[in-house]
Amino acid sequence: MIRLDKLTKRFGTNTVLNGIDLTIQDGERVVIIGPSGTGKSTLLRCINFLDRPDEGVIGIGDLSVDAARATKAQILGLRRRTAFVFQNYALFANKTARQNITEALITVQGRPRAEAEARADTILQETGLADKADSYPAALSGGQQQRVGIGRAMALDAELMLFDEPTSALDPEWVGEVLDLMRRVAERQQTMLIVTHEMQFAREIADRVIFMDGGRIVEQGPPAQIFENAQDPRTQAFLRRVKQ
Ligand SMILES: Nc1ncnc2c1ncn2[C@@H]1O[C@H](COP(=O)(O)OP(=O)(O)OP(=O)(O)O)[C@@H](O)[C@H]1O
Ligand SMILES: [Mg+2]
């Protein structure tokens, strides 16, 4: 289970996360939607301290971290329990697809190289990239690069996978294959927290949709409830805008 308790983040005088309370069950798929600049990326990044939260508690499984006094060991603990998929893939340009997947397995998880490579090859099969194992990112399409990015996250076997707009940097022709791979990740009962502007996909994959605005959770519920019967005027206005 994932538990956020009054998670707060400020950049200077700008309060970007304003006391976020959120519980996610094991295997649950939660999609976050909301206007630009509302704190969606910051929320994901604070969960594993890519951005350092100012206050609040982050709980993942048996680990509970008070943000204001987090130790290095606790931050490492959060990073080991999470895997992040970035909008811009964030692959190492000087490493092959296989090396991009083995890197964290070896350096963060301390797995022997042979074991990491075997794991990477399994993942490359599952992501349909076996024939690209030795290709560098520059030789891959955007869709293939993001599938490596997702494969790298899958390989970590993290308790929580975080996706920050994984398709929004892609040419439209590559979006479908990336969403297909995310569906397959979901079938593994992987706990997923996804920021996306793909409303149709959100409706299909989410157990729960959260609408954020101004650093707060404004409204949340099952997809049908949020997309067809939103209660808050801000949610209604946002959905009218994105449906156009
Ligand atoms: N490193 C930073 N330094 C200062 N301000 C930041 C930083 N990162 C984000 N912000 C500010 O925090 C607010 C929330 O940003 P965030 O990127 O979380 O929004 P978002 O909901 O992900 O938006 P988008 O839909 O455009 O990706 C914005 O006002 C942004 O300018
Ligand atoms: Mg963002």
Side-chain angles (χ1 to χ4, degrees):
M1 191 167 82
I2 318 297
R3 245 187 23 260
L4 306 180
D5 189 11
K6 298 199 170 45
L7 195 66
T8 300
K9 172 67 181 172
R10 302 178 198 91
F11 287 111
T13 55
N14 184 10
T15 301
V16 175
L17 297 179
N18 202 338
I20 299 283
D21 293 320
L22 176 62
T23 302
I24 303 175
Q25 302 300 328
D26 289 341
E28 195 180 7
R29 303 186 288 262
V30 177
V31 168
I32 302 177
I33 59 173
S36 182
T38 242
K40 305 180 300 293
S41 296
T42 304
L43 174 60
L44 263 51
R45 295 171 59 84
C46 279
I47 291 176
N48 68 353
F49 274 68
L50 282 176
D51 285 332
R52 193 181 177 107
D54 294 296
E55 291 159 32
V57 178
I58 301 166
I60 304 183
D62 58 356
L63 178 66
S64 179
V65 178
D66 182 342
R69 48 183 69 91
T71 64
K72 275 189 181 158
Q74 287 177 323
I75 293 170
L76 189 60
L78 290 175
R79 295 199 173 141
R80 285 199 168 131
R81 286 167 172 77
T82 54
F84 208 105
V85 177
F86 298 88
Q87 179 174 7
N88 62 357
Y89 333 130
L91 301 179
F92 295 107
N94 60 344
K95 292 185 190 298
T96 64
R98 186 195 281 110
Q99 288 167 339
N100 265 283
I101 295 173
T102 56
E103 171 73 16
L105 296 176
I106 295 168
T107 60
V108 180
Q109 294 193 342
R111 296 209 211 175
R113 177 170 300 277
E115 185 189 317
E117 285 178 353
R119 177 84 180 122
D121 285 338
T122 304
I123 292 287
L124 286 162
Q125 291 280 353
E126 288 173 359
T127 54
L129 292 165
D131 59 332
K132 302 293 180 192
D134 298 316
S135 298
Y136 289 88
L140 301 175
S141 73
Q144 288 167 338
Q145 289 183 61
Q146 188 58 298
R147 280 152 62 201
V148 175
I150 294 172
R152 173 176 61 183
M154 290 165 70
L156 296 170
D157 281 324
E159 284 182 53
L160 174 65
M161 273 177 82
L162 300 159
F163 296 81
D164 190 6
E165 297 197 38
T167 60
S168 58
L170 294 173
D171 288 339
E173 60 185 315
W174 308 125
V175 170
E177 66 189 56
V178 170
L179 295 181
D180 278 344
L181 180 54
M182 290 176 69
R183 289 185 186 96
R184 268 184 277 139
V185 173
E187 283 168 10
R188 304 165 147 218
Q189 309 304 315
Q190 169 73 55
T191 313
M192 301 164 84
L193 182 56
I194 304 166
V195 175
T196 185
H197 290 295
E198 299 280 341
M199 294 299 150
Q200 195 51 48
F201 177 68
R203 180 186 286 256
E204 169 202 331
I205 203 167
D207 298 307
R208 177 159 44 125
V209 175
I210 290 177
F211 174 73
M212 265 182 82
D213 195 16
R216 297 175 195 271
I217 293 176
V218 171
E219 183 166 5
Q220 57 182 310
Q225 179 187 316
I226 297 298
F227 288 119
E228 279 144 42
N229 195 19
Q231 299 299 304
D232 193 283
R234 287 167 290 181
T235 319
Q236 294 166 354
F238 173 78
L239 289 173
R240 268 198 304 277
R241 280 203 307 278
V242 298
K243 272 178 191 163
Q244 281 166 9

